Amino acid sequence: MTQRASGHESDLRAGGGDPAEWIEAAGRDSPARPFVETPDGRHMGYGELFEQSGRYAAALARRGVRQGDRVLAQVEKSLDAVLLYAGCLRLGAVLVPINTANTAHEVEYFLRDSQPRLAVVRPADRELLEAAARGAGVAEMDTLGAAGEGSLSRLAGDCAALVPERGGGGSALAAIVYTSGTTGRSKGAMLTRANLASNAAALDDAWRFSPDDVLLHTLPLYHIHGLFAALNTVLISRSSVLLLPRFDAALTLEHLPRATVYMGVPTHYTRLLHHPALTREATARMRLFVSGSAPLLAETHREFERRTGHAILERYGMTETLINTSNPYLGERKPGTVGPPLEGISIRVIDPAPESGRPQSDAARQAGAGAPGAIEVKGPNVFAGYWRA
């Protein structure tokens, strides 16, 4: 079931096979190219991304963070949160993004489990979490706010940009992302730099990204969808991003005429359909709408196409594997399906009896939708295992 695509050499075009290398190469080669814009008027090109992420890398190093150390971050979505991610990439630190809705008690578990060198929290949460951080043996704590305020951003502003030498290659960890914990305590999925790079290259190719694209970003930055599928695909293609603080239907539609790509979850599309401003005219510049993280109802797919003329492209992924499959960019996007595997990824359905390990029988396949089976995934996107497990 491996899907072979005929696309371009994205990783070579962007300057290497590592997200940090993409930042560094674009900063040198295309410094004036726009990288990000926010609704409050902040603009940043790739040259400034290179400079500012180097300052964040230096700030992390000033706090004693070294390659392989964990940096836990429970911060609001912002341009500075993107710079923190980029700074971790460039230093070789391991980002541990935490859902902003998690309680202090839940964050205490993540602190104890991930054992970060540095915890970065919202300014209002520092006093609440300091005791938990001390109890977990966390050496340093900094703050980072939605408007760029906080001790970490001040420190970064005082630092000269650092261009560190990273080691470890693609097998080095880039992030630990905790699962939802629906079957027990949350587990930390260890994602390597090669996991991130290979998946971004596959998405860049499958979704035909180019430097002319503008991604309208309304997703959170603590899940693989908004942090990796979105930002890394922008970085490898040297395209740009309109970074909204959160999803709001009216705000999204206000900025849609300036974008070419949108990545959302099913609830985003249902809310957009409830807004009268969603029209063919409003989406005339768009070339791609992507949905993931949950199943999209077939009726939502059909109604969105009727209203806009665009067939939503569904994809399937998970924390442990990033994005596995995608409906075709060219060709039919059948409602209720998620398409074949991405380039370099193999998927099979096996007998649901866990002790058998046998490929699913022809009879079960012929049974169609609803037949039981388990999915196995193989490829460079598959994580390195669970942290401490």
Side-chain angles (χ1 to χ4, degrees):
M1 284 181 67
T2 300
Q3 167 82 352
R4 299 295 298 178
S6 59
H8 47 273
E9 296 293 332
S10 307
D11 53 339
L12 297 178
R13 179 189 67 202
D18 181 280
E21 293 176 28
W22 305 335
I23 295 170
E24 292 159 4
R28 291 190 303 266
D29 304 339
S30 308
R33 179 174 293 283
F35 167 62
V36 67
E37 180 182 343
T38 63
D40 59 3
R42 296 182 70 183
H43 296 76
M44 182 174 288
Y46 275 91
E48 191 175 357
L49 170 64
F50 176 72
E51 170 73 16
Q52 294 299 325
S53 62
R55 290 177 180 271
Y56 266 82
L60 296 174
R62 187 84 66 88
R63 292 297 192 232
V65 178
R66 300 292 181 263
Q67 181 174 312
D69 286 343
R70 276 78 61 205
V71 176
L72 181 142
Q74 189 189 40
V75 298
E76 299 296 343
K77 181 180 179 181
S78 68
L79 175 52
D80 286 272
V82 174
L83 292 174
L84 173 58
Y85 168 54
C88 286
L89 285 173
R90 297 191 60 202
L91 184 62
V94 181
L95 181 67
V96 185
I98 301 299
N99 190 326
T100 53
N102 283 136
T103 65
H105 177 71
E106 291 167 325
V107 175
E108 182 177 4
Y109 164 71
F110 298 129
L111 289 166
R112 291 184 178 278
D113 191 66
S114 65
Q115 290 290 288
R117 170 71 192 184
L118 171 68
V120 186
V121 302
R122 293 166 290 198
D125 292 342
R126 177 163 192 156
E127 185 175 352
L128 180 66
L129 293 171
E130 272 185 321
R134 283 196 304 270
V138 179
E140 300 283 351
M141 176 174 278
D142 269 303
T143 59
L144 188 64
E149 75 278 17
S151 61
L152 185 62
S153 57
R154 289 195 299 271
L155 178 61
D158 292 337
C159 290
L162 176 68
V163 183
E165 292 187 10
R166 295 175 301 278
S171 63
L173 291 188
I176 297 174
V177 183
Y178 279 88
T179 62
S180 59
T182 52
T183 58
R185 298 216 78 166
S186 296
K187 298 181 291 293
M190 299 187 293
L191 296 168
T192 68
R193 303 176 81 84
N195 291 153
L196 302 190
S198 66
N199 211 230
L203 294 178
D204 177 41
D205 185 76
W207 295 344
R208 306 298 194 267
F209 264 72
S210 82
D212 296 327
D213 275 312
V214 179
L215 172 68
L216 183 57
H217 195 301
T218 65
L219 295 162
L221 291 178
Y222 48 78
H223 288 158
I224 65 160
H225 194 174
L227 186 57
F228 302 135
L231 291 184
N232 288 345
T233 308
V234 166
L235 289 173
I236 195 173
S237 62
R238 295 187 186 177
S239 52
S240 61
V241 57
L242 286 170
L243 192 75
L244 304 191
R246 63 192 176 282
F247 175 79
D248 174 270
L251 188 63
T252 299
L253 286 163
E254 178 186 336
H255 288 276
L256 207 56
R258 302 176 54 210
T260 61
V261 179
Y262 180 73
M263 298 183 190
V265 299
T267 54
H268 292 174
Y269 288 104
T270 57
R271 292 175 187 172
L272 288 172
L273 283 169
H274 290 147
H275 203 290
L278 180 69
T279 63
R280 288 177 181 260
E281 291 73 26
T283 60
R285 186 170 181 256
M286 295 292 295
R287 69 169 186 84
L288 181 62
F289 287 93
V290 177
S291 181
S293 301
L296 183 76
L297 292 176
E299 60 191 65
T300 302
H301 190 286
R302 287 190 287 266
E303 178 62 14
F304 194 88
E305 186 170 12
R306 187 190 69 79
R307 287 270 295 274
T308 67
H310 291 277
I312 298 171
L313 184 152
E314 288 190 80
R315 81 336 174 255
Y316 162 62
M318 63 180 75
T319 303
E320 293 89 342
T321 62
L322 303 170
I323 310 304
N324 299 309
T325 76
S326 170
N327 266 303
Y329 182 76
L330 300 174
E332 182 185 8
R333 300 173 192 169
K334 185 178 178 181
T337 67
V338 292
L342 292 169
E343 169 77 7
I345 298 172
S346 297
I347 292 180
R348 68 179 182 181
V349 180
I350 65 166
D351 191 306
E355 67 277 3
S356 73
R358 294 188 303 269
Q360 193 180 39
S361 68
D362 289 339
R365 282 198 299 272
Q366 291 167 4
I375 294 174
E376 290 187 342
V377 181
K378 179 182 179 181
N381 57 314
V382 177
F383 75 144
Y386 293 112
W387 174 254
R388 290 182 158 180

